Amino acid sequence: MSKTDLHLTRNIGIMAHIDAGKTTTSERILFYTGLTHKIGEVHDGAATMDWMVQEQERGITITSAATATYWKYADKKYKINLIDTPGHVDFTAEVERSLRILDGAVATFCAVGGVEPQSETVWRQADKYVVPRVCYVNKMDRSGANFFDVVSQIKSVLGANPCPIQIPIGSEETFKGVVDLIKMKAILWHDETMGAEYAEEEIPANLLDEAKEWRNKMLESIAECDDVVMEKYFDDPSKITEDEIRNAIRKGTLSMHLYPVICGSSFKNKGVQTMLDAVCSFLPSPLDNPDIVGTAVDDKEKKVVRHPDEDQPLCALAFKIATDPYVGRLCYFRVYSGKIDAGSYVFNTRSGKKERISRLFQMFSNHQNPVEIISAGDIGAGVGFKDIRTGDTLCGENEADHMILESIDFPDPVIGIAIEPKTQKDVDKLGNGLAKLAEEDPTFTVKTDEQSGQTVISGMGELHLDIILDRLKREFKVECNQGRPQVNYKEAITRTVEHRELYKKQSGGRGKYADINVKVGPADEGFEGSLQFVDEVKGGNIPREFIPSIQKGFAAAMKNGVLAGFPLEQLKVVVVDGSYHPVDSDQLSFEICANLAFKQACAKAKPVLMEPIMKLEVVTPEENMGDVIGDLNKRRGQVEGMETSRSGARIVKAKVPLAEMFGYVTSLRTITSGRATSAMEFSHYAEVSSSIAKNVVSEAKGKVELL
């Protein structure tokens, strides 16, 4: 088997706000590349990429589906690994883990809605992982579509440098094609062939001046990225060749200096082929990002570098675990260097164990095509492993080749509900189902409440938990009763106190003895992490070997605060002094002593309750504006600004506590007769006022007297 030419591989994702048309665009890509012979529609519940029942019913994407396909461009056959990511904020982790392993992305915008809140979130995520993008303005056929407005929004809202390489011919219902500013030709699609064929024609006379103006703007943008173009641009712009323009755009895209913008209407089958051409032409191949940098297993400071080449040692990142009814647990991974053979062993650097990958697949949504080998630069899936989780690095068996890639950080869940199975016999099934779902989704956590013994599941939002319960019912056949949603509160302390704790136990034989003097208070500003631990013990009053036990005792105690058992987010502990007993003191004594000191000190340090605050954006008609703001004020919201959208609707931006937001979508529909929409994402934790805090703490049967 000859080596695959990695120059012709593209690992790309489609990212965007809800309803910008990501899945529809993915469906069209599958149709035009010849993978499907019938176009699946989202609104009919028949999309190939949305294969989960829950996705088809709701018309939204929940999990990122991966598909491998091929596209012919400039007489070469390109392999495209396409990942369709969700747009809903509750599934932000799916986008996060997909972007981590992609080389490039297509940022899709709705031509009517423009840059929406979630578009900003995914754009920031792509910036974080340095993913070059092509912008695709979809839904050009809808009333209210305006291509140039979206371009200026990309500039003003996202702070990016958009570079349109096409302009639309006609808009709304008259949208029939685009002007290619590189070739200076009009591209018109034929409706009778489902958009599969298109014709290149001369630019309509009424658009010629506009096309020349935008071509000049494009040349100006790309001249900054390429010296050859710059020289010719100042001498004689007409001498710049097509290839030089393409090279300059590619250079600018890869360095993220500019973002090429194209337009189309995926639903009406226009513009998808030119988008695929742009993907092949401008987005990076695995070779454009030459070095994969990780750290050595035994030394976190030591850098290990690999190149995307089959002959290098194996290095792959598992970015998703999924359960398939036919083949069992699937692990999706991106191979950065080396290759994985079916039936071979890989080493998991997190668990320190070998794993056998018995079979390998190239994915096509939820169908698998078996393959013998997946080599560098490619994305595939494997089965047969025992313990692989999201974010694990897989290496070759040889110890010298082991390395760790930067894993993926996920946000903490913000909302939880208590659940119990309806019948006693379902208890085991429930435990099994929850464990599998928690394995698949890192933002979903399951814990047992110590006081009440209830099983509490937590996730990123109401929709997220809805879908989890739905999957329990369908996939694992478990019916659940559920409690009302609970907000994941946290605790904090507001002042620094000094406390001495003596732990002494004598009951015949060897006793227990530990004595510590600590300062406990809020963590320093700018400190990242949860426990800021400072050891200031002089003269060996507490032997060195006991200091880690004190730290461990405080770290464990932080999980249950003194008010009502909510975790503490941050804490600073300074061990000032203490004493020990040469016989009775041991590590456990100091750990227990630290735990007791925490409870006593925090009770004196004025503890407060913290609650999650959400960033909310409501798009509402002008006439309902007063009602919407009145309702937000009722919910303890702080309105931070108002803007007018292009369609004349008002956009209200506010920060609102999550505790007040349950059932908000329904009440918003009621007060605006269904005309307003809202989008919400987590912002930060903030202190709760004392009257509300008292209610929450007494409900949780905590210590109200400390407030």
Side-chain angles (χ1 to χ4, degrees), residues 325-336:
Y326 302 111
V327 294
R329 281 166 63 227
L330 271 169
C331 163
Y332 288 73
F333 47 77
R334 156 91 192 256
V335 180
Y336 283 100

Side-chain angles (χ1 to χ4, degrees), residues 91-364:
F91 310 108
T92 178
E94 282 286 335
V95 184
E96 189 96 9
R97 54 184 171 186
S98 306
L99 285 172
R100 167 74 179 80
I101 53 109
L102 292 174
D103 297 323
V106 176
T108 309
F109 298 97
C110 165
V112 183
V115 177
E116 294 170 283
Q118 196 56 22
S119 325
E120 287 183 63
T121 311
V122 289
W123 191 268
R124 283 200 304 277
Q125 285 173 318
D127 280 340
K128 177 173 155 188
Y129 292 111
V130 195
V131 177
R133 282 144 276 178
V134 166
C135 301
Y136 172 58
V137 179
N138 188 16
K139 303 195 176 184
M140 283 302 302
D141 58 309
R142 280 200 28 209
S143 65
N146 188 330
F147 174 73
F148 301 111
D149 258 9
V150 180
V151 171
S152 66
Q153 272 188 309
I154 296 175
K155 197 168 190 139
S156 59
V157 179
L158 302 174
N161 179 15
C163 169
I165 55 172
Q166 294 175 352
I167 58 169
I169 302 174
S171 72
E172 303 182 359
E173 63 274 5
T174 60
F175 175 70
K176 39 182 204 281
V178 296
V179 172
D180 185 334
L181 300 175
I182 302 175
K183 293 181 178 168
M184 283 304 269
K185 286 272 192 281
I187 300 175
L188 299 171
W189 274 271
H190 302 310
D191 286 337
E192 57 275 8
T193 60
M194 293 276 289
E197 288 175 20
Y198 53 91
E200 281 191 11
E201 297 173 19
E202 289 305 315
I203 299 172
N206 59 341
L207 276 175
L208 199 57
D209 290 346
E210 194 173 11
K212 281 179 179 164
E213 178 194 339
W214 280 97
R215 176 178 166 97
N216 201 36
K217 284 183 185 170
M218 172 183 83
L219 292 177
E220 196 176 324
S221 289
I222 64 174
E224 293 170 21
C225 311
D226 191 295
D227 297 342
V228 176
V229 174
M230 174 107 56
E231 218 166 281
K232 287 190 175 175
Y233 177 69
F234 286 123
D235 288 350
D236 181 1
S238 60
K239 283 187 177 164
I240 306 175
T241 63
E242 269 182 46
D243 286 348
E244 285 170 347
I245 295 177
R246 286 187 198 282
N247 285 341
I249 297 175
R250 183 172 173 85
K251 265 187 196 166
T253 311
L254 295 190
S255 63
M256 288 173 55
H257 182 75
L258 56 89
Y259 300 95
V261 187
I262 53 180
C263 60
S265 161
S266 301
F267 183 53
K268 292 282 171 56
N269 312 312
K270 296 180 174 99
V272 177
Q273 298 100 327
T274 47
M275 183 208 21
L276 283 168
D277 291 348
V279 162
C280 298
S281 187
F282 308 129
L283 286 182
S285 72
L287 294 173
D288 288 312
N289 203 355
D291 296 342
I292 299 104
V293 180
T295 53
V297 175
D298 43 9
D299 180 6
K300 296 283 187 292
E301 299 299 308
K302 190 175 161 198
K303 293 275 184 274
V304 181
V305 179
R306 295 266 192 279
H307 302 289
D309 187 354
E310 259 183 48
D311 303 332
Q312 288 256 316
L314 169 69
C315 162
L317 183 77
F319 67 97
K320 181 172 173 171
I321 309 290
T323 308
D324 184 275
Y326 302 111
V327 294
R329 281 166 63 227
L330 271 169
C331 163
Y332 288 73
F333 47 77
R334 156 91 192 256
V335 180
Y336 283 100
S337 62
K339 57 184 188 220
I340 295 183
D341 295 291
S344 65
Y345 283 89
V346 295
F347 181 80
N348 182 349
T349 49
R350 176 187 57 82
S351 63
K353 293 192 175 98
K354 281 186 193 170
E355 294 278 359
R356 184 167 184 261
I357 308 284
S358 53
R359 288 183 298 158
L360 289 173
F361 301 106
Q362 246 328 176
M363 294 307 290
F364 168 49

